[in-house]
Amino acid sequence: MKAKEILDKAYNTHKLSKDEIKFLLSLEGEEKELLFEYADRVRKEYVGDDVYLRGLIEFSSYCKNDCFYCGLRRSNKEAQRYRMQEDEIVEVAKRAYAIGYRTVVLQSGEDPYYTKDRICSIIKKIKENIDVAITLSIGERSYEDYKAFREAGADRYLMRFETSNKVLYQKYHPGMSFENRIECLRWIKSLGYELGTGFLIGLPEQTIDDLADDILLVYELDSDMVGIGPFIPHPQTPLKDAEVGSVDLTLKCIAILRLLLPDSNIPATTALGTLDPLGRQKGLKCGANIVMPNVNDLKYKLKYELYPGKICINEDATKCRGCIESIIISLGRKVGQGYGQSRHYRLKK
Ligand code: SAM
Ligand code: SF4
Ligand code: FES
């Protein structure tokens, strides 16, 4: 059986050719289940049964960019905008710590209001108050900014390249450049951050060939964390009538990435849980080992609308913390203690 041969090769070498990746992406039925079983086995052997939680703080819904798929794009005049002030962000981080989180993810649109100095000050204040790892997810900045954030104490940086198809990248990111995004990712890595990148699954016109290239680019960038999720059309964007991304294809991408990057951190994303009520569980069963619940106040959660129907939008942070823990336990796994640093990153140091 060809699938088994390829999976055995991936299991033993953690390498796959583009054709082999495309073949795995096309699997259905029993062979697809076999892919998921291999990925789950690799996950268990390399990163174990611990599932690490990240407390997500979405601190600004302003964005200067105009990504075609995103509800926060600057042309969306109906988007509700907010900015959290420094003290408020630190308070939310403290609350996240109090309910057990040991990593906070500071995420926002690309909002120039948060200058280098403001971001550095937020990082320092959080680190002075609580013992957490800090992940930034605030988009493209200058080398000097990334350097300053790292020196201020930021540990990790998450920025998807979204698609490796340059024609599609140009089409869906007016005024932005694929080359610049990749350069930013290389700077981030060179500065010693734990690097997280990834892509969207199901953008209009994206092909299986593109997805295989996306997977290979994550591999080439030697990502310590991988963030991938299905595209969900937002009604106030140019892609409003596009088809929704496939949960199944997303799960296959997670599984293949687990085979290629056995000790990287891979989240089961909120978008996956939004499209399928069991999406996060399915992700955790085919390679994922991270979940990123939102810890913001309800008044902000509603306004950070990247796509419609987001889960947990009416749940407070304490409820989500309990809910996610019971999901993890129901899968025979446990909540990881400590920072949950990427093993991929740790072993390279
Ligand atoms: N502005 C920063 C950036 O773009 O890197 C960070 C925040 S951005 C909202 C985080 C991620 O949301 C993006 O990388 C993108 O993949 C995802 N996203 C945006 N719109 C989406 C949609 N309609 N469906 C699924 N994911 C979406
Ligand atoms: Fe802005 Fe990020 Fe949304 Fe693009 S994906 S519009 S950069 S928030
Ligand atoms: Fe938010 Fe289940 S994780 S309600």
Side-chain angles (χ1 to χ4, degrees):
M1 184 170 59
K2 198 178 170 197
K4 180 146 187 341
E5 264 170 46
I6 295 176
L7 290 169
D8 281 332
K9 175 190 159 187
Y11 180 77
N12 290 316
T13 65
H14 308 297
K15 288 200 175 77
L16 286 168
S17 68
K18 183 168 170 184
D19 281 343
E20 288 165 339
I21 293 173
K22 283 170 72 174
F23 180 79
L24 293 181
L25 286 172
S26 73
L27 295 181
E28 292 300 338
E30 279 178 21
E31 290 188 326
K32 179 184 77 180
E33 295 306 322
L34 193 64
L35 162 65
F36 294 166
E37 279 170 33
Y38 268 70
D40 196 43
R41 194 183 338 150
V42 170
R43 184 273 308 155
K44 194 173 173 66
E45 287 174 12
Y46 283 79
V47 293
D49 282 337
D50 285 347
V51 177
Y52 284 92
L53 302 181
R54 316 312 197 189
L56 178 62
I57 306 174
E58 297 160 337
F59 65 89
S60 166
S61 65
Y62 283 85
C63 189
K64 68 178 168 65
N65 291 335
D66 221 11
C67 308
F68 267 36
Y69 42 81
C70 180
L72 301 188
R73 67 196 305 266
R74 67 162 186 268
S75 299
N76 181 8
K77 302 296 174 219
E78 290 169 66
Q80 301 189 60
R81 309 289 178 178
Y82 67 89
R83 287 189 176 112
M84 286 164 64
Q85 295 307 308
E86 178 169 327
D87 287 351
E88 202 177 3
I89 299 171
V90 176
E91 278 316 304
V92 176
K94 280 162 65 178
R95 269 200 337 245
Y97 182 82
I99 55 173
Y101 291 98
R102 294 296 174 263
T103 294
V104 290
V105 181
L106 303 179
Q107 191 181 82
S108 67
E110 283 198 21
D111 183 357
Y113 170 83
Y114 297 90
T115 56
K116 179 178 77 179
D117 289 347
R118 282 200 169 113
I119 295 288
C120 285
S121 172
I122 293 165
I123 295 167
K124 283 185 196 149
K125 278 232 174 91
I126 292 177
K127 288 274 180 168
E128 274 161 26
N129 278 278
I130 47 175
D131 182 20
V132 287
I134 296 180
T135 305
L136 294 179
S137 178
I138 59 175
E140 295 176 27
R141 294 279 184 146
S142 67
Y143 180 83
E144 288 65 37
D145 282 12
Y146 290 134
K147 188 162 181 283
F149 303 155
R150 180 85 183 117
E151 284 165 4
D155 303 277
R156 309 175 184 151
Y157 207 101
L158 199 54
M159 185 166 69
R160 296 176 176 175
F161 54 76
E162 315 292 2
T163 173
S164 61
N165 177 325
K166 289 185 196 169
V167 176
L168 288 188
Y169 190 91
Q170 245 24 79
K171 185 166 174 177
Y172 297 141
H173 302 93
M176 295 171 74
S177 117
F178 179 76
E179 285 70 25
N180 191 59
R181 201 148 182 100
I182 298 297
E183 182 163 39
C184 286
L185 291 171
R186 296 199 195 281
W187 286 340
I188 290 164
K189 185 148 196 111
S190 75
L191 287 163
Y193 286 91
E194 270 180 68
L195 174 72
T197 192
F199 51 92
L200 279 166
I201 291 137
L203 284 170
E205 295 179 60
Q206 188 185 45
T207 62
I208 292 293
D209 202 75
D210 293 333
L211 284 177
D213 283 334
D214 291 343
I215 289 172
L216 286 169
L217 183 54
V218 173
Y219 181 77
E220 193 213 307
L221 291 166
D222 199 26
S223 201
D224 302 301
M225 325 181 260
V226 186
I228 59 172
F231 156 68
I232 305 174
H234 187 292
Q236 289 142 15
T237 64
L239 300 183
K240 62 177 189 290
D241 296 323
E243 242 179 74
V244 65
S246 153
V247 168
D248 214 45
L249 208 45
T250 305
L251 296 173
K252 289 184 213 173
C253 288
I254 291 178
I256 296 167
L257 281 158
R258 172 56 69 202
L259 297 174
L260 290 174
L261 292 166
D263 51 12
S264 287
N265 281 336
I266 306 182
T269 54
T270 305
L272 197 53
T274 298
L275 286 188
D276 180 336
L278 293 176
R280 288 178 301 177
Q281 286 89 325
K282 289 178 184 172
L284 289 170
K285 283 187 352 196
C286 70
N289 69 323
I290 302 283
V291 185
M292 294 169 56
N294 191 314
V295 291
N296 252 0
D297 280 348
L298 300 186
K299 64 176 183 213
Y300 293 133
K301 273 191 183 184
L302 283 164
K303 294 183 178 165
Y304 198 85
E305 197 191 53
L306 313 179
Y307 48 79
K310 237 191 201 178
I311 45 169
C312 305
I313 213 89
N314 292 311
E315 263 61 52
D316 74 23
T318 313
K319 167 132 191 270
C320 283
R321 176 69 178 75
C323 168
I324 203 69
E325 180 152 5
S326 52
I327 288 175
I328 290 166
I329 290 167
S330 75
L331 296 172
R333 310 265 284 274
K334 57 186 195 305
V335 175
Q337 305 297 313
Y339 300 142
Q341 194 183 48
S342 164
R343 184 170 179 266
H344 189 71
Y345 176 84
R346 196 168 57 239
L347 296 183
K348 269 183 315 198
K349 285 187 91 183

